[in-house]
Amino acid sequence: MKYYKLTLEDFKRVFEFGTNYYIDPSKNTTGRTTGEPRGLGAILDAFTLGKLTEIGIEKIFTEFNKNKFYILDFDIKSNNQVMDEPDILHIKEKENLRNPNLFVEIKNTSENDRWIGLTEEQFNTIKRSAGSNKVYMIYASIRSQTINNNPKTTDLTGMFLKEIEDKNKSEIFQKFANLNAECKIEFIISSSDLENFAYPFERGMNMYETNLFEEKKSSSFYSKDGIRKDVLDIKEYKDFNGTMNLEIEKGLYPEKEDISKFEIRGSFKIIQKRKKCFIECTSNVVAKNDIFGKFDLEKNKFYSFNLVTLGRDPKLKRNNLFISKKRFLSSP
C-alpha cells in the first residue's frame, strides 16, 4: 500500500497539536518572514498539511510491517529542547523502543509542485544531525475529492470543521466537502540521490517551469497565405542528432547554459517569434536535458518551448538543491 486514507482521529491529532502549540505562552507565533503576529488559523495552516503527511507515512509504514510502530514528534517542546531530529523519532518493536537506523525527512508535495529538494542549508543540517545514519527524504501528497471541481471545498481545516460542526447550532462549514483525504507516497530519495541528481540552483537564480513543451496549433505559424507576419525566422534540421541551446526568445538564454542545453534527435524546424521559440516536428523528436528530463515530441505537431519562470518572484533567496519531478517521471 502506497497510500492511506486519513481519518477523523488523524485530523483531531493534528488539530490538537496545532492548538496546543498556539496556546503555549512560551511559543513565538509571529511569522518568520513578515514578523507579524499569527492567529490560531495561521498556526493551524502552518502545521496541518505537514503533520497529516507525517501521519500518512506512519500508517503506510505500519501497513507494510505490522510488527513495528513508528513514533512521530507530536510533543510540544520548550525552545531549548527543540533539536534537528528525524520526523520518525523512535520505533517500537516487540515492546522495545529504539532509535531508527535511518534518518527520515517527510515532506509534502502537491500535484502542482514542479520540483523536489531542499535548501542547501537544510540539507547540510540534516546530514549533520543524521551522523552516520543514511538519510532518506519521503515526498508524499494529500489529495481529496472536491465538490464541483472546486479545490477550495477540500480545504483541510474546512473539511475538519464541517465534520465536527453541530448542525443543530450552525451550518457554516457545510459548504465544504465531507472529510476525505488520501496520503500517497510520490517519491523516496536518498541523500546520495539529492547530491548526484539535483541541480544547484544558487541564490539569485530563477526558478523555472518544467513542462517545457506545450502543444500548439499550426495556425499560430501558417495561414492560407503562407507564413504569418509575426514569425521572425525558421530554421530546418533534418535527421539531427546532437546538442542544441534552445532560446527562451530571440537571442535570450537563461543564466546558465545547462538549463537550455538539450540533446535532440529527429527532424524539426525551429520557429522564432518575438517572444518565444517554437518547434515544428517533421518526425518524432526526442529532447533530453540533464535538469528537466526527457521529452517525446510527436511528428506533425507544433510545440512552444515553454522555459518560463515560476511565481511572482522567481528569484531564489537561498542556495537550493532541486530535482525536477519530470526528470523522475521521464522514461529512460
Side-chain angles (χ1 to χ4, degrees):
M1 181 183 73
K2 290 199 300 182
Y3 67 89
Y4 168 74
K5 291 184 178 179
L6 292 152
T7 67
L8 176 60
E9 293 306 311
D10 298 328
F11 273 77
K12 285 182 179 178
R13 185 179 171 192
V14 169
F15 276 81
E16 182 178 16
F17 173 83
T19 302
N20 289 342
Y21 184 96
Y22 175 75
I23 214 73
D24 189 323
S26 69
K27 292 300 179 185
N28 183 2
T29 56
T30 57
R32 291 182 182 179
T33 54
T34 64
E36 295 181 356
R38 295 183 294 173
L40 174 61
I43 295 298
L44 291 175
D45 279 345
F47 283 116
T48 301
L49 188 59
K51 285 297 183 183
L52 283 174
T53 304
E54 290 179 17
I55 290 175
I57 297 302
E58 170 205 344
K59 300 296 186 181
I60 291 171
F61 277 15
T62 302
E63 186 66 25
F64 274 116
N65 191 337
K66 292 183 170 62
N67 296 320
K68 293 182 181 180
F69 295 92
Y70 301 87
I71 312 301
L72 304 173
D73 186 5
F74 271 75
D75 294 330
I76 305 297
K77 297 182 174 71
S78 62
N79 293 334
N80 61 358
Q81 290 178 313
V82 175
M83 297 183 293
D84 295 309
E85 296 175 307
D87 288 324
I88 296 176
L89 281 179
H90 304 289
I91 294 175
K92 188 176 181 181
E93 190 174 14
K94 296 180 180 178
E95 301 304 318
N96 295 319
L97 194 66
R98 64 172 176 85
N99 292 329
N101 297 322
L102 303 173
F103 190 106
V104 174
E105 180 78 6
I106 298 171
K107 296 285 188 183
N108 179 269
T109 182
S110 75
E111 189 176 0
N112 293 326
D113 288 340
R114 302 292 193 254
W115 303 85
I116 56 174
L118 299 168
T119 68
E120 190 178 89
E121 182 183 1
Q122 286 175 322
F123 189 42
N124 289 334
T125 299
I126 287 172
K127 287 193 294 183
R128 283 196 303 269
S129 302
S132 60
N133 286 348
K134 290 184 178 180
V135 175
Y136 284 89
M137 286 147 280
I138 301 174
Y139 290 84
S141 62
I142 291 182
R143 301 183 185 184
S144 304
Q145 294 294 320
T146 64
I147 297 175
N148 297 328
N149 293 320
N150 181 359
K152 292 182 179 180
T153 60
T154 55
D155 179 86
L156 297 171
T157 301
M159 290 193 296
F160 175 68
L161 291 174
K162 176 182 179 177
E163 186 71 19
I164 64 173
E165 185 176 38
D166 183 349
K167 287 192 285 186
N168 292 320
K169 296 181 179 180
S170 166
E171 293 190 359
I172 293 173
F173 299 104
Q174 297 306 304
K175 299 179 182 68
F176 290 96
N178 292 331
L179 191 69
N180 78 101
E182 181 180 280
C183 180
K184 180 183 177 183
I185 295 176
E186 302 288 350
F187 303 97
I188 300 177
I189 63 174
S190 67
S191 56
S192 297
D193 292 331
L194 196 61
E195 289 172 330
N196 293 329
F197 299 113
Y199 188 77
F201 282 91
E202 299 169 359
R203 179 181 178 182
M205 288 182 64
N206 288 315
M207 200 72 241
Y208 289 98
E209 171 64 69
T210 60
N211 295 324
L212 296 186
F213 295 93
E214 182 180 349
E215 190 174 340
K216 296 292 182 180
K217 294 180 179 179
S218 61
S219 57
S220 300
F221 316 99
Y222 301 109
S223 68
K224 61 181 180 180
D225 298 321
I227 300 172
R228 295 179 64 94
K229 292 181 180 179
D230 58 346
V231 172
L232 301 179
D233 186 38
I234 297 178
K235 290 183 180 178
E236 185 169 9
Y237 299 84
K238 292 184 177 180
D239 299 320
F240 186 87
N241 188 6
T243 60
M244 179 182 294
N245 287 348
L246 296 179
E247 297 170 295
I248 298 175
E249 57 184 80
K250 186 67 174 175
L252 178 64
Y253 294 91
E255 58 268 63
K256 291 202 174 183
E257 185 182 25
D258 295 346
I259 297 172
S260 63
K261 187 176 181 179
F262 283 78
E263 295 178 24
I264 303 179
R265 186 174 69 252
S267 298
F268 55 92
K269 297 177 183 178
I270 298 291
I271 304 172
Q272 290 286 355
K273 286 191 173 185
R274 183 177 299 174
K275 291 293 184 181
K276 263 192 178 180
C277 166
F278 300 84
I279 294 179
E280 177 186 354
C281 298
T282 52
S283 75
N284 289 334
V285 174
V286 176
K288 293 173 65 176
N289 175 278
D290 289 340
I291 301 169
F292 297 101
K294 177 172 172 279
F295 300 84
D296 294 302
L297 311 180
E298 296 181 31
K299 181 180 179 180
N300 297 327
K301 289 190 176 181
F302 294 77
Y303 299 88
S304 64
F305 181 51
N306 196 36
L307 186 60
V308 295
T309 56
L310 287 174
R312 292 182 179 179
D313 184 9
K315 294 288 184 186
L316 295 167
K317 305 298 187 292
R318 299 179 181 180
N319 294 333
N320 301 273
L321 294 169
F322 288 147
I323 303 175
S324 165
K325 285 185 178 181
K326 179 70 174 65
R327 185 180 177 189
F328 267 131
L329 298 173
S330 299
S331 55

